Amino acid sequence: ETGVTQTPRHLVMGMTNKKSLKCEQHLGHNAMYWYKQSAKKPLELMFVYSLEERVENNSVPSRFSPECPNSSHLFLHLHTLQPEDSALYLCASSPSPAGQETQYFGPGTRLLVL
Amino acid sequence: AQSVTQLDSQVPVFEEAPVELRCNYSSSVSVYLFWYVQYPNQGLQLLLKYLSGSTLVKGINGFEAEFNKSQTSFHLRKPSVHISDTAEYFCAVSFLIKAAGNKLTFGGGTRVLVKP
């Protein structure tokens, strides 16, 4: 499989549940990103990893916990979410975190928090 | 603060007609500029980007954009759209200042609906 893949594609969870989103890139990139895409709001950067080290944390609540075990995989662990966390969560990767790089996006995980 | 504004949230257009999507940013520093497209139920993909050099940038699927530094704009155009161009289009800017890091700031998106 090529490009950036995300699983699951859809997720429904209660506010007390714990779940994880998975992202995998097959492009040999060194930077990976989590974005949140909500209706009627611009795309929001959540986290940036470069060579498995977190280099950006955009004031994200602690109920979102990222993990990057290697340069190909990125996880977003979710716990005690709120209904307003319902959104499309997009993963992306790029050769490096430098500003001129093209980012390659996965199809997203659509999350509904009840 | 740096910001990106897409002036039109929705643009209906007839097939084979031209389309222009407007993007303005607020910054006095150097920038890198991008347009991404998101087709239904998919992630974003790059249409084109401006890093330096010629201010007219050509991208995939017949799209082009022009960087205007004095007007801080990066409008996207296509001379003749197809039904398959129905999608949401995002302008994104990388502001070259330390405070911004290397992150992309996205505009709110413009939804293009191509009608037959």
Coordinates of all heavy atoms in Angstrom, one line a residue, chain B residues 51-95:
Chain B
L51 N 7.3 28.9 -3.9 CA 8.4 29.0 -2.9 C 9.2 30.2 -3.3 O 9.6 31.0 -2.4 CB 9.3 27.7 -3.0 CG 8.6 26.4 -2.6 CD1 9.6 25.3 -2.6 CD2 7.8 26.5 -1.3
S52 N 9.5 30.4 -4.6 CA 10.3 31.6 -5.0 C 10.3 31.6 -6.5 O 9.7 30.7 -7.2 CB 11.8 31.4 -4.5 OG 12.4 30.3 -5.1
G53 N 10.9 32.6 -7.1 CA 11.0 32.7 -8.5 C 9.7 33.3 -9.2 O 9.1 34.2 -8.7
S54 N 9.3 32.8 -10.3 CA 8.2 33.3 -11.1 C 7.0 33.3 -10.2 O 6.6 32.3 -9.5 CB 8.0 32.4 -12.3 OG 6.8 32.8 -13.0
T55 N 6.3 34.4 -10.3 CA 5.1 34.6 -9.5 C 3.9 33.8 -10.0 O 2.9 33.7 -9.3 CB 4.7 36.1 -9.3 OG1 4.5 36.6 -10.6 CG2 5.8 36.8 -8.6
L56 N 3.9 33.4 -11.2 CA 2.8 32.6 -11.8 C 3.2 31.1 -11.7 O 4.2 30.6 -12.2 CB 2.6 32.9 -13.3 CG 1.4 32.2 -13.9 CD1 0.1 32.5 -13.3 CD2 1.4 32.5 -15.4
V57 N 2.4 30.4 -11.0 CA 2.7 29.0 -10.7 C 1.7 28.1 -11.3 O 0.5 28.3 -11.2 CB 2.7 28.7 -9.2 CG1 3.1 27.3 -8.9 CG2 3.7 29.6 -8.4
K58 N 2.1 27.1 -12.0 CA 1.2 26.1 -12.6 C 1.1 24.9 -11.8 O 2.2 24.4 -11.4 CB 1.6 25.9 -14.1 CG 1.4 27.1 -15.0 CD 1.6 26.8 -16.4 CE 1.5 28.0 -17.3 NZ 0.2 28.7 -17.2
G59 N -0.1 24.3 -11.7 CA -0.2 23.1 -10.9 C -0.9 22.0 -11.7 O -0.9 22.0 -12.9
I60 N -1.4 21.0 -10.9 CA -2.0 19.9 -11.6 C -3.4 20.2 -12.0 O -4.0 21.2 -11.5 CB -2.1 18.7 -10.6 CG1 -2.9 19.0 -9.4 CG2 -0.7 18.2 -10.3 CD1 -3.2 17.7 -8.5
N61 N -4.0 19.4 -12.9 CA -5.4 19.5 -13.4 C -5.7 20.9 -14.0 O -6.9 21.3 -13.9 CB -6.3 19.2 -12.2 CG -6.1 17.8 -11.6 OD1 -5.6 17.0 -12.3 ND2 -6.6 17.7 -10.4
G62 N -4.7 21.6 -14.6 CA -5.0 22.8 -15.2 C -5.1 24.1 -14.4 O -5.5 25.1 -14.8
F63 N -4.8 23.9 -13.1 CA -4.9 25.1 -12.2 C -3.6 25.9 -12.2 O -2.5 25.3 -12.4 CB -5.2 24.6 -10.7 CG -6.6 24.2 -10.5 CD1 -7.0 22.9 -10.6 CD2 -7.5 25.1 -10.1 CE1 -8.3 22.5 -10.4 CE2 -8.9 24.8 -9.9 CZ -9.2 23.4 -10.0
E64 N -3.8 27.2 -11.9 CA -2.6 28.0 -11.8 C -2.9 29.1 -10.7 O -4.1 29.4 -10.4 CB -2.2 28.7 -13.1 CG -3.3 29.6 -13.7 CD -2.8 30.3 -15.0 OE1 -2.0 29.6 -15.7 OE2 -3.2 31.4 -15.2
A65 N -1.9 29.7 -10.2 CA -2.1 30.7 -9.2 C -1.0 31.8 -9.3 O 0.1 31.5 -9.8 CB -2.0 30.1 -7.8
E66 N -1.3 33.0 -8.9 CA -0.4 34.1 -9.0 C -0.1 34.7 -7.7 O -1.0 35.1 -7.0 CB -0.9 35.1 -10.0 CG 0.2 36.2 -10.3 CD 0.1 36.8 -11.7 OE1 -1.0 36.7 -12.3 OE2 1.1 37.4 -12.1
F67 N 1.2 34.8 -7.3 CA 1.6 35.4 -6.1 C 1.7 36.9 -6.3 O 2.4 37.4 -7.2 CB 2.9 34.8 -5.7 CG 3.6 35.6 -4.5 CD1 2.9 35.9 -3.4 CD2 4.9 35.9 -4.5 CE1 3.5 36.5 -2.3 CE2 5.5 36.5 -3.5 CZ 4.8 36.9 -2.4
N68 N 1.0 37.7 -5.5 CA 1.1 39.2 -5.6 C 1.6 39.7 -4.2 O 0.8 39.7 -3.3 CB -0.2 39.8 -6.0 CG -0.1 41.3 -6.3 OD1 0.6 42.0 -5.5 ND2 -0.8 41.7 -7.3
K69 N 2.9 40.0 -4.2 CA 3.4 40.4 -2.9 C 2.9 41.7 -2.3 O 2.6 41.8 -1.1 CB 5.0 40.5 -3.0 CG 5.7 40.7 -1.7 CD 7.2 40.7 -1.9 CE 7.9 40.8 -0.5 NZ 9.4 40.8 -0.7
S70 N 2.7 42.6 -3.2 CA 2.2 43.9 -2.7 C 0.7 43.8 -2.2 O 0.4 44.5 -1.3 CB 2.2 45.0 -3.9 OG 1.4 44.6 -4.9
Q71 N -0.1 42.9 -2.8 CA -1.4 42.8 -2.3 C -1.6 41.6 -1.4 O -2.7 41.3 -0.9 CB -2.4 42.6 -3.5 CG -2.4 43.8 -4.4 CD -3.5 43.7 -5.5 OE1 -4.3 42.7 -5.5 NE2 -3.5 44.6 -6.4
T72 N -0.5 40.9 -1.0 CA -0.4 39.7 -0.2 C -1.6 38.8 -0.6 O -2.4 38.4 0.3 CB -0.5 40.1 1.3 OG1 -1.7 40.8 1.6 CG2 0.7 40.9 1.7
S73 N -1.6 38.4 -1.9 CA -2.6 37.5 -2.3 C -2.0 36.4 -3.1 O -0.8 36.4 -3.6 CB -3.6 38.3 -3.2 OG -3.0 38.7 -4.4
F74 N -2.8 35.3 -3.2 CA -2.3 34.1 -4.0 C -3.6 33.5 -4.5 O -4.1 32.4 -4.0 CB -1.6 33.2 -3.0 CG -0.9 32.0 -3.7 CD1 0.0 32.3 -4.8 CD2 -1.0 30.7 -3.3 CE1 0.7 31.2 -5.4 CE2 -0.4 29.7 -3.9 CZ 0.5 29.9 -5.0
H75 N -4.2 34.1 -5.5 CA -5.5 33.6 -6.1 C -5.3 32.5 -7.0 O -4.3 32.4 -7.8 CB -6.2 34.8 -6.8 CG -6.5 36.0 -5.9 ND1 -6.6 35.9 -4.6 CD2 -6.6 37.3 -6.3 CE1 -6.9 37.1 -4.1 NE2 -6.9 37.9 -5.1
L76 N -6.2 31.5 -7.0 CA -6.2 30.3 -7.8 C -7.1 30.4 -8.9 O -8.3 30.9 -8.7 CB -6.6 29.1 -6.9 CG -6.6 27.7 -7.6 CD1 -5.1 27.3 -7.8 CD2 -7.3 26.7 -6.6
R77 N -6.7 30.0 -10.1 CA -7.6 30.1 -11.3 C -7.6 28.8 -12.1 O -6.6 28.1 -12.1 CB -7.2 31.3 -12.2 CG -7.1 32.6 -11.5 CD -6.7 33.7 -12.5 NE -6.5 35.0 -11.9 CZ -5.3 35.4 -11.4 NH1 -4.2 34.7 -11.6 NH2 -5.2 36.6 -10.8
K78 N -8.7 28.6 -12.8 CA -8.7 27.6 -13.8 C -9.6 28.1 -14.9 O -10.7 28.6 -14.7 CB -9.3 26.3 -13.3 CG -9.3 25.2 -14.3 CD -9.6 23.8 -13.7 CE -9.5 22.7 -14.8 NZ -9.7 21.3 -14.2
P79 N -9.1 28.1 -16.2 CA -9.9 28.7 -17.3 C -11.2 28.0 -17.7 O -12.1 28.6 -18.2 CB -8.9 28.7 -18.5 CG -7.9 27.7 -18.1 CD -7.8 27.6 -16.6
S80 N -11.2 26.7 -17.4 CA -12.4 25.9 -17.8 C -12.6 24.7 -16.8 O -11.7 23.8 -16.8 CB -12.3 25.4 -19.2 OG -13.3 24.6 -19.6
V81 N -13.6 24.8 -16.0 CA -13.7 23.7 -15.0 C -14.5 22.5 -15.5 O -15.3 22.6 -16.4 CB -14.4 24.3 -13.7 CG1 -13.5 25.3 -13.1 CG2 -15.8 24.8 -14.0
H82 N -14.3 21.4 -14.8 CA -15.0 20.2 -15.1 C -15.8 19.8 -13.9 O -15.5 20.2 -12.8 CB -14.1 19.0 -15.5 CG -13.2 19.3 -16.6 ND1 -13.6 19.4 -17.9 CD2 -11.8 19.7 -16.7 CE1 -12.6 19.7 -18.7 NE2 -11.5 19.9 -18.0
I83 N -16.8 18.9 -14.1 CA -17.6 18.4 -13.0 C -16.7 17.8 -11.9 O -16.9 18.0 -10.7 CB -18.6 17.3 -13.5 CG1 -19.6 17.9 -14.4 CG2 -19.3 16.6 -12.3 CD1 -20.7 18.8 -13.8
S84 N -15.6 17.2 -12.3 CA -14.7 16.5 -11.4 C -13.9 17.5 -10.5 O -13.2 17.1 -9.6 CB -13.7 15.6 -12.1 OG -13.0 16.4 -13.1
D85 N -14.0 18.8 -10.8 CA -13.4 19.8 -10.0 C -14.2 20.2 -8.8 O -13.7 21.0 -7.9 CB -13.1 21.1 -10.8 CG -12.0 20.8 -11.9 OD1 -11.0 20.1 -11.6 OD2 -12.2 21.4 -13.0
T86 N -15.4 19.6 -8.6 CA -16.2 19.8 -7.5 C -15.4 19.3 -6.2 O -15.1 18.1 -6.2 CB -17.5 19.1 -7.6 OG1 -18.3 19.8 -8.6 CG2 -18.3 19.2 -6.3
A87 N -15.1 20.2 -5.3 CA -14.3 19.9 -4.2 C -14.2 21.1 -3.3 O -14.7 22.2 -3.6 CB -12.9 19.5 -4.7
E88 N -13.4 20.9 -2.2 CA -13.1 22.1 -1.3 C -11.6 22.4 -1.5 O -10.8 21.5 -1.6 CB -13.4 21.8 0.1 CG -13.3 23.0 1.0 CD -14.2 22.9 2.3 OE1 -14.5 21.8 2.7 OE2 -14.4 24.0 2.9
Y89 N -11.4 23.7 -1.6 CA -10.0 24.2 -1.9 C -9.5 25.0 -0.7 O -10.2 25.9 -0.2 CB -10.0 25.0 -3.2 CG -10.4 24.2 -4.4 CD1 -11.7 23.8 -4.7 CD2 -9.3 23.7 -5.3 CE1 -12.0 23.0 -5.8 CE2 -9.6 22.9 -6.4 CZ -11.0 22.6 -6.6 OH -11.3 21.8 -7.7
F90 N -8.3 24.7 -0.4 CA -7.7 25.3 0.8 C -6.4 26.1 0.4 O -5.5 25.4 -0.2 CB -7.4 24.3 1.9 CG -8.6 23.7 2.5 CD1 -9.1 22.5 2.0 CD2 -9.2 24.3 3.6 CE1 -10.2 21.9 2.6 CE2 -10.3 23.7 4.2 CZ -10.8 22.5 3.6
C91 N -6.3 27.3 0.8 CA -5.1 28.1 0.7 C -4.3 27.9 2.0 O -4.9 27.9 3.1 CB -5.4 29.5 0.4 SG -4.0 30.6 0.3
A92 N -3.0 27.7 1.9 CA -2.2 27.6 3.1 C -0.9 28.4 3.0 O -0.4 28.5 1.9 CB -1.9 26.1 3.4
V93 N -0.5 28.9 4.1 CA 0.7 29.7 4.1 C 1.7 29.3 5.2 O 1.2 29.0 6.3 CB 0.3 31.2 4.3 CG1 1.6 32.1 4.3 CG2 -0.7 31.7 3.3
S94 N 2.9 29.2 4.8 CA 4.0 29.0 5.8 C 4.7 30.3 6.0 O 5.3 30.8 5.1 CB 4.9 27.9 5.3 OG 6.0 27.6 6.2
F95 N 4.6 30.9 7.2 CA 5.2 32.1 7.5 C 6.6 31.9 8.0 O 6.8 31.2 9.0 CB 4.4 32.9 8.5 CG 3.0 33.2 8.1 CD1 1.9 32.4 8.5 CD2 2.7 34.3 7.3 CE1 0.6 32.7 8.0 CE2 1.4 34.6 6.9 CZ 0.4 33.8 7.2

